[in-house]
Amino acid sequence: MSRTTPGAQKSFKNCWQRKEVVERCDLALAKWMIDVCVTFNVVNSVYYQHAIDVVTTMGPGYKRPNLHVIRGYYLVKVVDEMKIYIESYREIWKKSGCTLMANGWAYQKRRTLLNFLVYCPKGIIFLKNVDVLDVSKTARLLHQLFREVVLYVG
């Protein structure tokens, strides 16, 4: 007597076909990332899997948004969402306090950037970066930049 009913287990052929389909999808994503020079760290983004899941629910024939819609309408929507997200942190900063952090670095073209972040029990928020290539990096400049951040944070 058979221990399983027909069709209850995937056949070796079905498993192999599934593996080929997954590889075809993965390869298409990899080619796109390589073609447009997207950093490979993008796969660590909290939005990466979500974006793939949403696109797959659309099914075949989904037409992607064009450049103008992404850099216009959707950029504004994302910025607005981030402002709301940061405001939720600002409430915590007022209640529990926070630590302002800054780091500076220069990249290949000797352009110097200063990053400003805020740490609190909920997590770290990146506030802004400042390109200080064309300014003298003095205590006065740092004071001015930190003052702006302190006034924003509250």
Side-chain angles (χ1 to χ4, degrees):
M1 182 179 255
S2 170
R3 291 169 49 180
T4 60
T5 58
Q9 290 184 340
K10 292 182 179 179
S11 69
F12 179 74
K13 183 179 178 182
N14 285 345
C15 290
W16 182 254
Q17 287 173 340
R18 169 90 175 123
K19 187 176 180 181
E20 287 176 345
V21 171
V22 169
E23 185 170 326
R24 194 172 76 231
C25 290
D26 291 351
L27 183 59
L29 282 170
K31 284 181 180 179
W32 170 73
M33 290 171 64
I34 292 164
D35 179 57
V36 296
C37 300
V38 172
T39 176
F40 297 127
N41 280 343
V42 75
V43 302
N44 296 326
S45 167
V46 296
Y47 300 106
Y48 182 69
Q49 185 61 51
H50 177 69
I52 291 171
D53 293 343
V54 171
V55 169
T56 58
T57 63
M58 293 296 295
Y62 168 69
K63 300 294 183 224
R64 87 289 188 259
N66 66 35
L67 168 78
H68 303 292
V69 174
I70 294 281
R71 74 176 184 189
Y73 176 75
Y74 289 117
L75 179 59
V76 170
K77 282 187 76 82
V78 170
V79 168
D80 290 343
E81 285 181 10
M82 281 294 117
K83 286 178 180 176
I84 292 167
Y85 183 70
I86 290 173
E87 281 302 313
S88 74
Y89 272 74
R90 290 183 79 181
E91 295 302 315
I92 294 170
W93 300 342
K94 290 175 188 174
K95 290 178 186 172
S96 65
C98 61
T99 302
L100 301 180
M101 301 184 300
N103 75 333
W105 57 283
Y107 60 94
Q108 292 135 344
K109 296 185 180 179
R110 301 188 47 85
R111 181 169 234 122
T112 305
L113 296 174
L114 292 175
N115 297 313
F116 290 90
L117 305 101
V118 182
Y119 170 81
C120 72
K122 187 175 178 182
I124 298 174
I125 289 285
F126 169 83
L127 284 184
K128 69 177 186 173
N129 68 10
V130 180
D131 184 344
V132 291
L133 172 69
D134 298 326
V135 276
S136 180
K137 292 136 194 95
T138 63
R140 179 170 289 175
L141 171 70
L142 288 175
H143 176 266
Q144 177 188 347
L145 293 172
F146 266 106
R147 187 174 193 282
E148 291 172 10
V149 172
V150 167
L151 290 174
Y152 174 77
V153 169

Short mmCIF file of all heavy atoms in Angstrom, two decimals, residues 11 64 66 149:
data_model
loop_
_atom_site.label_atom_id
_atom_site.label_comp_id
_atom_site.label_asym_id
_atom_site.label_seq_id
_atom_site.Cartn_x
_atom_site.Cartn_y
_atom_site.Cartn_z
N SER A 11 7.18 16.30 -7.02
CA SER A 11 8.09 15.42 -7.73
C SER A 11 9.45 16.11 -7.86
O SER A 11 9.57 17.32 -7.70
CB SER A 11 7.54 15.10 -9.12
OG SER A 11 7.59 16.27 -9.93
N ARG A 64 5.96 49.55 -14.78
CA ARG A 64 6.66 50.30 -13.75
C ARG A 64 6.44 51.79 -13.92
O ARG A 64 6.20 52.27 -15.03
CB ARG A 64 8.14 49.95 -13.74
CG ARG A 64 9.07 50.73 -14.68
CD ARG A 64 8.85 50.36 -16.13
NE ARG A 64 9.81 50.94 -17.05
CZ ARG A 64 9.56 52.00 -17.81
NH1 ARG A 64 8.44 52.65 -17.71
NH2 ARG A 64 10.44 52.41 -18.68
N ASN A 66 7.47 55.65 -14.39
CA ASN A 66 8.60 56.22 -15.13
C ASN A 66 9.44 57.13 -14.24
O ASN A 66 9.08 57.42 -13.10
CB ASN A 66 8.12 56.95 -16.39
CG ASN A 66 7.29 58.18 -16.09
OD1 ASN A 66 7.54 58.89 -15.11
ND2 ASN A 66 6.30 58.44 -16.91
N VAL A 149 21.41 72.08 14.45
CA VAL A 149 20.87 70.77 14.80
C VAL A 149 20.19 70.81 16.16
O VAL A 149 19.09 70.29 16.33
CB VAL A 149 21.97 69.68 14.74
CG1 VAL A 149 21.47 68.36 15.28
CG2 VAL A 149 22.48 69.51 13.32
#
